[in-house]
Amino acid sequence: MMFFSTIIYFMVASYPIANVSTVNISLDTTAIDTLRIEPVEVHGSAAKFADLALLEADYRKLLAKNMNTNFLSGVVITPVSIGLSFDISSLYSKLSKSGKSESRRFNWLKVEILERKLDDLWFSMTNRYSSLDSINIKYYQIYYRPGASEFLTLSEAEQLNYLIFTLKNYKDSVNIIKEIVSLPQ
């Protein structure tokens, strides 16, 4: 109700009536609605490498805590008896709840670091060596993305060979790959 009465008031006030002066009311809504925000420069690649460095530091820290599962160190043979020697910290990390969660985090960090290294290498190689346009290179990068552990162990010549071979395959079957990668409708 208030909304309609405001519109009628402004409509009546905008028509000049004899012996009544009209007042133009202007509200500066930009000053009221705008927040004062300072611009911030964001460097994406530097942030990504810093994040990767933090992940690698966590990985090394967990590796230093002896995150192996070989808690049986060996067999001790003495003239009197035969015994087994255990690594207590490995046994603790194998059996305790916190040790199991650290072991899960260790395995996750190992995979995450490999995946990020692969992404950095794969996207830079495909952007540098392919002559595809923007949408085709995105489809190519998604469909032909190799496995991290296999691709990172290859030499640079073998990586380029994989890139050339898959680019040839992609250019031969572009329409089929676009249908596979696209979302169902």
Side-chain angles (χ1 to χ4, degrees), residues 108-171:
W108 177 82
L109 282 171
K110 189 183 338 179
V111 170
E112 185 69 22
I113 288 169
L114 283 176
E115 292 292 324
R116 290 200 186 183
K117 285 181 180 178
L118 174 72
D119 285 344
D120 291 342
L121 179 65
W122 178 246
F123 291 129
S124 66
M125 280 180 68
T126 53
N127 290 331
R128 188 180 326 132
Y129 295 118
S130 69
S131 60
L132 300 172
D133 60 346
S134 63
I135 191 69
N136 281 329
I137 200 165
K138 287 181 183 174
Y139 284 134
Y140 170 75
Q141 287 170 342
I142 293 169
Y143 191 76
Y144 283 104
R145 185 179 181 274
S149 59
E150 297 86 16
F151 192 72
L152 292 174
T153 58
L154 297 175
S155 67
E156 190 174 347
E158 291 171 332
Q159 290 172 351
L160 285 174
N161 189 21
Y162 175 80
L163 184 76
I164 291 167
F165 180 74
T166 55
L167 270 172
K168 180 183 166 291
N169 286 346
Y170 178 78
K171 288 179 181 177

Coordinates of all heavy atoms in Angstrom, one line a residue, residues 108-171:
W108 N 46.5 -38.8 0.8 CA 45.8 -37.7 0.1 C 46.8 -36.7 -0.4 O 46.7 -36.2 -1.6 CB 44.8 -37.1 1.0 CG 44.1 -36.0 0.3 CD1 43.0 -36.0 -0.6 CD2 44.4 -34.6 0.4 NE1 42.7 -34.8 -1.0 CE2 43.5 -33.9 -0.4 CE3 45.3 -33.8 1.2 CZ2 43.5 -32.5 -0.5 CZ3 45.3 -32.5 1.1 CH2 44.4 -31.8 0.2
L109 N 47.8 -36.3 0.4 CA 48.7 -35.3 0.0 C 49.6 -35.7 -1.1 O 49.9 -35.0 -2.0 CB 49.6 -34.9 1.2 CG 49.1 -33.9 2.2 CD1 50.0 -33.8 3.4 CD2 48.8 -32.6 1.6
K110 N 50.0 -37.0 -1.1 CA 50.8 -37.6 -2.2 C 50.1 -37.5 -3.5 O 50.6 -37.0 -4.5 CB 51.1 -39.0 -1.8 CG 52.1 -39.6 -2.8 CD 52.4 -41.1 -2.5 CE 52.2 -41.7 -1.2 NZ 52.5 -43.1 -1.1
V111 N 48.8 -37.9 -3.5 CA 48.0 -37.8 -4.7 C 47.8 -36.4 -5.2 O 47.9 -36.0 -6.4 CB 46.7 -38.6 -4.5 CG1 45.7 -38.3 -5.7 CG2 46.9 -40.0 -4.3
E112 N 47.4 -35.5 -4.2 CA 47.1 -34.1 -4.5 C 48.3 -33.4 -5.1 O 48.2 -32.6 -6.1 CB 46.6 -33.4 -3.3 CG 46.2 -32.0 -3.5 CD 44.9 -31.8 -4.3 OE1 44.1 -32.8 -4.4 OE2 44.7 -30.8 -4.9
I113 N 49.5 -33.6 -4.6 CA 50.7 -33.0 -5.1 C 51.0 -33.4 -6.5 O 51.3 -32.6 -7.4 CB 51.9 -33.3 -4.2 CG1 51.7 -32.5 -2.9 CG2 53.2 -32.9 -4.8 CD1 52.7 -32.8 -1.8
L114 N 50.9 -34.8 -6.8 CA 51.1 -35.3 -8.1 C 50.0 -34.7 -9.1 O 50.4 -34.3 -10.2 CB 50.9 -36.8 -8.1 CG 52.1 -37.6 -7.6 CD1 51.8 -39.1 -7.6 CD2 53.4 -37.3 -8.5
E115 N 48.8 -34.6 -8.7 CA 47.7 -34.0 -9.6 C 48.0 -32.5 -9.9 O 47.8 -32.1 -11.0 CB 46.4 -34.2 -8.9 CG 45.9 -35.6 -8.8 CD 45.6 -36.2 -10.2 OE1 45.1 -35.5 -11.1 OE2 45.8 -37.4 -10.3
R116 N 48.4 -31.8 -8.9 CA 48.7 -30.4 -9.2 C 49.9 -30.2 -10.1 O 50.0 -29.3 -10.9 CB 48.9 -29.6 -7.9 CG 47.6 -29.5 -7.1 CD 47.6 -28.4 -6.2 NE 46.4 -28.5 -5.4 CZ 46.1 -27.6 -4.5 NH1 46.9 -26.6 -4.2 NH2 44.9 -27.7 -3.9
K117 N 51.0 -31.0 -9.9 CA 52.1 -30.9 -10.8 C 51.7 -31.3 -12.2 O 52.2 -30.7 -13.1 CB 53.2 -31.8 -10.2 CG 53.9 -31.3 -9.0 CD 55.1 -32.2 -8.6 CE 55.8 -31.7 -7.4 NZ 56.8 -32.6 -6.9
L118 N 50.9 -32.3 -12.3 CA 50.4 -32.7 -13.6 C 49.6 -31.6 -14.3 O 49.8 -31.3 -15.5 CB 49.6 -34.0 -13.6 CG 48.9 -34.4 -14.9 CD1 50.0 -34.9 -15.9 CD2 47.8 -35.4 -14.7
D119 N 48.7 -31.0 -13.5 CA 47.9 -29.9 -14.1 C 48.8 -28.7 -14.6 O 48.6 -28.2 -15.7 CB 46.9 -29.4 -13.1 CG 45.7 -30.3 -12.9 OD1 45.5 -31.2 -13.7 OD2 45.0 -30.1 -11.9
D120 N 49.8 -28.4 -13.8 CA 50.7 -27.3 -14.2 C 51.4 -27.7 -15.5 O 51.5 -26.9 -16.5 CB 51.7 -27.0 -13.1 CG 51.1 -26.3 -11.9 OD1 50.0 -25.8 -12.0 OD2 51.7 -26.4 -10.9
L121 N 51.9 -28.9 -15.6 CA 52.7 -29.3 -16.8 C 51.8 -29.5 -18.0 O 52.0 -29.0 -19.1 CB 53.4 -30.6 -16.4 CG 54.2 -31.2 -17.6 CD1 55.4 -30.3 -17.9 CD2 54.7 -32.6 -17.2
W122 N 50.6 -30.2 -17.8 CA 49.7 -30.5 -18.9 C 49.1 -29.3 -19.5 O 49.1 -29.1 -20.7 CB 48.6 -31.4 -18.4 CG 47.6 -31.8 -19.4 CD1 46.3 -31.5 -19.4 CD2 47.8 -32.6 -20.6 NE1 45.7 -32.0 -20.5 CE2 46.6 -32.7 -21.2 CE3 48.9 -33.2 -21.1 CZ2 46.4 -33.4 -22.4 CZ3 48.8 -33.9 -22.3 CH2 47.5 -34.0 -23.0
F123 N 48.6 -28.3 -18.7 CA 48.0 -27.1 -19.3 C 49.0 -26.2 -19.9 O 48.7 -25.6 -21.0 CB 47.2 -26.4 -18.2 CG 46.0 -27.1 -17.7 CD1 45.7 -27.3 -16.4 CD2 45.1 -27.6 -18.6 CE1 44.6 -28.0 -16.0 CE2 43.9 -28.3 -18.2 CZ 43.7 -28.5 -16.9
S124 N 50.2 -26.1 -19.4 CA 51.2 -25.3 -20.0 C 51.7 -25.9 -21.3 O 51.9 -25.2 -22.3 CB 52.4 -25.1 -19.1 OG 53.1 -26.3 -18.8
M125 N 51.8 -27.3 -21.4 CA 52.2 -27.9 -22.6 C 51.2 -27.8 -23.7 O 51.5 -27.5 -24.9 CB 52.5 -29.4 -22.4 CG 53.9 -29.7 -21.8 SD 54.1 -31.5 -21.5 CE 54.2 -32.1 -23.2
T126 N 49.9 -28.0 -23.3 CA 48.9 -28.0 -24.4 C 48.7 -26.5 -24.9 O 48.4 -26.3 -26.1 CB 47.6 -28.5 -23.8 OG1 47.2 -27.8 -22.6 CG2 47.6 -30.0 -23.6
N127 N 48.8 -25.6 -24.0 CA 48.7 -24.2 -24.5 C 49.9 -23.8 -25.4 O 49.7 -23.0 -26.3 CB 48.6 -23.2 -23.3 CG 47.2 -23.3 -22.6 OD1 46.2 -23.7 -23.2 ND2 47.2 -23.1 -21.3
R128 N 51.0 -24.3 -25.1 CA 52.2 -23.9 -25.8 C 52.3 -24.6 -27.2 O 52.7 -24.0 -28.2 CB 53.5 -24.3 -25.0 CG 54.8 -23.7 -25.6 CD 56.0 -24.1 -24.8 NE 55.8 -24.1 -23.3 CZ 56.2 -25.1 -22.5 NH1 56.9 -26.1 -23.0 NH2 56.0 -25.0 -21.2
Y129 N 52.0 -25.9 -27.2 CA 52.3 -26.7 -28.4 C 51.1 -27.0 -29.3 O 51.2 -27.5 -30.4 CB 52.9 -28.0 -28.0 CG 54.3 -27.9 -27.4 CD1 54.5 -28.3 -26.1 CD2 55.3 -27.3 -28.1 CE1 55.8 -28.2 -25.5 CE2 56.6 -27.1 -27.5 CZ 56.8 -27.6 -26.2 OH 58.0 -27.4 -25.7
S130 N 49.9 -26.6 -28.9 CA 48.7 -26.9 -29.8 C 48.3 -25.6 -30.5 O 48.5 -24.5 -30.0 CB 47.6 -27.5 -29.0 OG 47.1 -26.6 -28.1
S131 N 47.6 -25.8 -31.6 CA 47.1 -24.7 -32.4 C 45.6 -24.6 -32.3 O 44.9 -24.1 -33.2 CB 47.6 -24.8 -33.8 OG 47.1 -26.0 -34.4
L132 N 45.0 -25.2 -31.3 CA 43.5 -25.2 -31.1 C 43.0 -23.9 -30.6 O 43.7 -23.2 -29.9 CB 43.1 -26.3 -30.2 CG 43.5 -27.7 -30.6 CD1 43.2 -28.7 -29.5 CD2 42.8 -28.2 -31.9
D133 N 41.7 -23.6 -30.9 CA 41.1 -22.4 -30.3 C 40.7 -22.7 -28.9 O 40.9 -23.8 -28.4 CB 40.0 -21.9 -31.2 CG 38.9 -23.0 -31.3 OD1 39.1 -24.1 -31.0 OD2 37.8 -22.6 -31.8
S134 N 40.1 -21.7 -28.2 CA 39.9 -21.7 -26.8 C 39.0 -22.9 -26.4 O 39.2 -23.6 -25.4 CB 39.4 -20.4 -26.3 OG 38.1 -20.1 -26.9
I135 N 37.8 -23.1 -27.1 CA 36.9 -24.1 -26.6 C 37.4 -25.5 -27.0 O 37.3 -26.4 -26.2 CB 35.5 -23.9 -27.2 CG1 34.5 -24.8 -26.5 CG2 35.5 -24.0 -28.7 CD1 34.2 -24.4 -25.1
N136 N 38.1 -25.6 -28.1 CA 38.6 -26.9 -28.5 C 39.7 -27.4 -27.6 O 39.9 -28.5 -27.3 CB 39.1 -26.9 -29.9 CG 37.9 -27.1 -30.9 OD1 36.9 -27.7 -30.6 ND2 38.0 -26.4 -32.1
I137 N 40.6 -26.4 -27.2 CA 41.7 -26.8 -26.3 C 41.2 -27.2 -24.9 O 41.7 -28.1 -24.3 CB 42.7 -25.7 -26.2 CG1 44.0 -26.2 -25.7 CG2 42.3 -24.5 -25.3 CD1 45.2 -25.3 -25.9
K138 N 40.1 -26.6 -24.5 CA 39.5 -27.0 -23.2 C 38.9 -28.5 -23.3 O 39.2 -29.3 -22.4 CB 38.4 -26.1 -22.7 CG 38.9 -24.8 -22.3 CD 37.8 -23.9 -21.8 CE 38.4 -22.5 -21.4 NZ 37.4 -21.5 -21.1
Y139 N 38.2 -28.8 -24.4 CA 37.8 -30.1 -24.6 C 38.9 -31.1 -24.7 O 38.9 -32.2 -24.1 CB 36.9 -30.3 -25.8 CG 35.5 -29.7 -25.7 CD1 35.0 -28.9 -26.6 CD2 34.7 -30.0 -24.6 CE1 33.7 -28.4 -26.5 CE2 33.4 -29.5 -24.5 CZ 32.9 -28.7 -25.4 OH 31.7 -28.2 -25.3
Y140 N 39.9 -30.7 -25.4 CA 41.1 -31.6 -25.5 C 41.8 -31.8 -24.2 O 42.2 -33.0 -23.8 CB 42.1 -31.0 -26.5 CG 43.4 -31.6 -26.5 CD1 43.6 -32.9 -27.2 CD2 44.5 -31.1 -25.9 CE1 44.8 -33.5 -27.2 CE2 45.8 -31.7 -25.9 CZ 45.9 -32.9 -26.5 OH 47.1 -33.6 -26.5
Q141 N 42.0 -30.8 -23.4 CA 42.6 -30.9 -22.1 C 41.9 -31.8 -21.1 O 42.4 -32.5 -20.4 CB 42.8 -29.5 -21.5 CG 43.9 -28.7 -22.1 CD 43.9 -27.3 -21.7 OE1 43.0 -26.8 -21.1 NE2 45.0 -26.6 -21.9
I142 N 40.5 -31.7 -21.2 CA 39.7 -32.6 -20.3 C 39.7 -34.0 -20.8 O 40.0 -34.9 -20.0 CB 38.3 -32.1 -20.3 CG1 38.2 -30.7 -19.6 CG2 37.3 -33.1 -19.6 CD1 36.8 -30.0 -19.8
Y143 N 39.6 -34.3 -22.1 CA 39.4 -35.6 -22.6 C 40.7 -36.4 -22.6 O 40.7 -37.6 -22.3 CB 38.8 -35.6 -24.0 CG 38.3 -37.0 -24.4 CD1 37.2 -37.5 -24.0 CD2 39.1 -37.7 -25.4 CE1 36.7 -38.8 -24.4 CE2 38.7 -38.9 -25.8 CZ 37.5 -39.5 -25.3 OH 37.1 -40.7 -25.7
Y144 N 41.8 -35.8 -22.9 CA 43.1 -36.5 -23.1 C 44.0 -36.3 -21.9 O 45.2 -36.5 -22.0 CB 43.8 -36.1 -24.4 CG 43.2 -36.7 -25.6 CD1 42.4 -36.0 -26.5 CD2 43.5 -38.0 -25.9 CE1 41.8 -36.6 -27.6 CE2 42.9 -38.6 -27.0 CZ 42.1 -37.9 -27.8 OH 41.6 -38.5 -28.9
R145 N 43.5 -35.8 -20.8 CA 44.4 -35.6 -19.6 C 44.9 -36.9 -19.1 O 44.1 -37.8 -18.8 CB 43.6 -34.9 -18.5 CG 44.4 -34.5 -17.3 CD 43.5 -33.9 -16.3 NE 44.2 -33.5 -15.1 CZ 44.4 -34.3 -14.1 NH1 44.0 -35.5 -14.1 NH2 45.1 -33.9 -13.0
P146 N 46.2 -37.1 -19.1 CA 46.8 -38.4 -18.7 C 46.8 -38.6 -17.2 O 46.5 -37.7 -16.4 CB 48.2 -38.3 -19.2 CG 48.5 -36.8 -19.2 CD 47.2 -36.1 -19.5
G147 N 47.1 -39.8 -16.7 CA 47.3 -40.1 -15.3 C 48.5 -39.4 -14.8 O 49.6 -39.3 -15.5
A148 N 48.5 -39.0 -13.5 CA 49.6 -38.2 -13.0 C 50.8 -39.0 -12.8 O 51.9 -38.6 -13.2 CB 49.2 -37.6 -11.7
S149 N 50.7 -40.2 -12.2 CA 51.9 -40.9 -11.9 C 52.6 -41.4 -13.1 O 53.8 -41.5 -13.2 CB 51.6 -42.1 -10.9 OG 50.6 -42.9 -11.5
E150 N 51.8 -41.8 -14.2 CA 52.4 -42.3 -15.4 C 53.1 -41.2 -16.2 O 54.2 -41.3 -16.7 CB 51.4 -43.0 -16.3 CG 50.8 -44.2 -15.7 CD 49.6 -43.9 -14.8 OE1 49.1 -42.8 -14.9 OE2 49.3 -44.8 -14.0
F151 N 52.4 -40.0 -16.4 CA 52.8 -39.0 -17.2 C 54.1 -38.3 -16.6 O 55.0 -37.9 -17.4 CB 51.7 -38.0 -17.5 CG 52.0 -37.0 -18.6 CD1 52.0 -37.4 -19.9 CD2 52.3 -35.7 -18.3 CE1 52.2 -36.5 -20.9 CE2 52.5 -34.8 -19.3 CZ 52.5 -35.2 -20.6
L152 N 54.1 -38.1 -15.3 CA 55.2 -37.4 -14.7 C 56.5 -38.2 -14.7 O 57.6 -37.7 -14.6 CB 54.9 -37.0 -13.3 CG 53.8 -35.9 -13.2 CD1 53.4 -35.6 -11.8 CD2 54.3 -34.6 -13.9
T153 N 56.4 -39.5 -14.9 CA 57.6 -40.4 -14.9 C 58.2 -40.4 -16.3 O 59.3 -40.9 -16.5 CB 57.3 -41.8 -14.4 OG1 56.3 -42.3 -15.2 CG2 56.9 -41.8 -13.0
L154 N 57.4 -40.0 -17.3 CA 57.9 -40.0 -18.7 C 59.0 -38.9 -18.9 O 59.0 -37.9 -18.3 CB 56.8 -39.8 -19.7 CG 55.7 -40.9 -19.8 CD1 54.6 -40.4 -20.7 CD2 56.2 -42.2 -20.1
S155 N 59.9 -39.1 -19.9 CA 60.8 -38.1 -20.3 C 60.1 -37.0 -21.1 O 58.9 -37.2 -21.5 CB 61.9 -38.7 -21.1 OG 61.4 -39.1 -22.4
E156 N 60.7 -35.9 -21.3 CA 60.1 -34.8 -22.0 C 59.8 -35.2 -23.4 O 58.7 -34.8 -24.0 CB 61.0 -33.6 -22.0 CG 60.3 -32.3 -22.5 CD 61.2 -31.1 -22.3 OE1 62.2 -31.1 -21.6 OE2 60.8 -30.0 -22.9
A157 N 60.6 -35.9 -24.1 CA 60.4 -36.4 -25.5 C 59.1 -37.3 -25.5 O 58.3 -37.2 -26.4 CB 61.6 -37.1 -26.0
E158 N 59.0 -38.2 -24.5 CA 57.8 -39.1 -24.5 C 56.6 -38.3 -24.2 O 55.5 -38.6 -24.7 CB 58.0 -40.2 -23.5 CG 59.1 -41.2 -23.8 CD 59.5 -42.1 -22.7 OE1 59.3 -41.7 -21.5 OE2 59.9 -43.2 -23.0
Q159 N 56.7 -37.3 -23.4 CA 55.5 -36.4 -23.1 C 55.0 -35.7 -24.3 O 53.9 -35.6 -24.6 CB 55.8 -35.4 -22.0 CG 56.0 -36.0 -20.6 CD 56.5 -35.1 -19.6 OE1 56.9 -33.9 -19.9 NE2 56.5 -35.5 -18.3
L160 N 56.0 -35.1 -25.1 CA 55.7 -34.5 -26.3 C 55.1 -35.4 -27.4 O 54.2 -35.1 -28.1 CB 56.9 -33.7 -26.9 CG 57.3 -32.5 -26.2 CD1 58.6 -31.9 -26.8 CD2 56.2 -31.4 -26.3
N161 N 55.6 -36.7 -27.4 CA 55.1 -37.7 -28.3 C 53.7 -38.0 -28.0 O 52.8 -38.1 -28.9 CB 56.0 -38.9 -28.2 CG 55.6 -39.9 -29.3 OD1 55.0 -39.6 -30.3 ND2 56.0 -41.2 -29.0
Y162 N 53.3 -38.1 -26.7 CA 51.9 -38.3 -26.3 C 51.1 -37.1 -26.7 O 50.0 -37.3 -27.2 CB 51.9 -38.5 -24.7 CG 50.5 -38.6 -24.2 CD1 49.8 -39.8 -24.3 CD2 49.8 -37.5 -23.6 CE1 48.5 -39.9 -23.8 CE2 48.6 -37.6 -23.1 CZ 47.9 -38.8 -23.2 OH 46.6 -38.9 -22.8
L163 N 51.6 -35.9 -26.5 CA 50.8 -34.7 -26.9 C 50.5 -34.7 -28.4 O 49.4 -34.5 -28.8 CB 51.6 -33.5 -26.4 CG 50.9 -32.2 -26.7 CD1 49.8 -32.0 -25.6 CD2 51.9 -31.0 -26.6
I164 N 51.5 -35.0 -29.2 CA 51.3 -35.0 -30.7 C 50.4 -36.1 -31.1 O 49.5 -35.8 -31.9 CB 52.7 -35.1 -31.4 CG1 53.5 -33.8 -31.1 CG2 52.6 -35.4 -32.8 CD1 55.0 -34.0 -31.5
F165 N 50.5 -37.2 -30.5 CA 49.7 -38.4 -30.9 C 48.2 -38.1 -30.6 O 47.3 -38.3 -31.4 CB 50.2 -39.6 -30.2 CG 49.4 -40.9 -30.5 CD1 49.5 -41.5 -31.8 CD2 48.5 -41.4 -29.6 CE1 48.7 -42.6 -32.1 CE2 47.7 -42.5 -29.9 CZ 47.8 -43.1 -31.1
T166 N 48.0 -37.6 -29.3 CA 46.6 -37.3 -28.9 C 46.0 -36.1 -29.7 O 44.8 -36.1 -29.9 CB 46.5 -37.1 -27.4 OG1 47.4 -36.0 -27.0 CG2 46.9 -38.4 -26.7
L167 N 46.8 -35.1 -30.0 CA 46.3 -34.0 -30.8 C 45.8 -34.5 -32.2 O 44.8 -34.0 -32.7 CB 47.4 -32.9 -31.0 CG 47.4 -31.8 -29.9 CD1 48.7 -30.9 -30.1 CD2 46.2 -31.0 -30.0
K168 N 46.6 -35.4 -32.8 CA 46.2 -36.0 -34.1 C 44.9 -36.7 -33.9 O 44.0 -36.5 -34.7 CB 47.3 -36.9 -34.6 CG 47.0 -37.5 -35.9 CD 48.1 -38.5 -36.3 CE 47.7 -39.4 -37.4 NZ 46.6 -40.3 -37.0
N169 N 44.8 -37.5 -32.9 CA 43.5 -38.2 -32.6 C 42.3 -37.3 -32.4 O 41.2 -37.5 -32.8 CB 43.6 -39.2 -31.4 CG 44.5 -40.4 -31.8 OD1 44.7 -40.7 -32.9 ND2 44.9 -41.1 -30.8
Y170 N 42.6 -36.2 -31.6 CA 41.5 -35.2 -31.3 C 41.1 -34.5 -32.6 O 39.9 -34.4 -32.8 CB 42.0 -34.2 -30.3 CG 41.0 -33.2 -30.0 CD1 40.0 -33.4 -29.1 CD2 41.0 -31.9 -30.6 CE1 39.0 -32.5 -28.9 CE2 40.1 -30.9 -30.3 CZ 39.1 -31.3 -29.4 OH 38.1 -30.3 -29.2
K171 N 42.0 -34.1 -33.4 CA 41.6 -33.4 -34.6 C 40.8 -34.4 -35.6 O 40.0 -33.9 -36.3 CB 42.8 -32.9 -35.3 CG 43.4 -31.7 -34.6 CD 44.6 -31.1 -35.2 CE 45.2 -29.9 -34.5 NZ 46.4 -29.4 -35.1

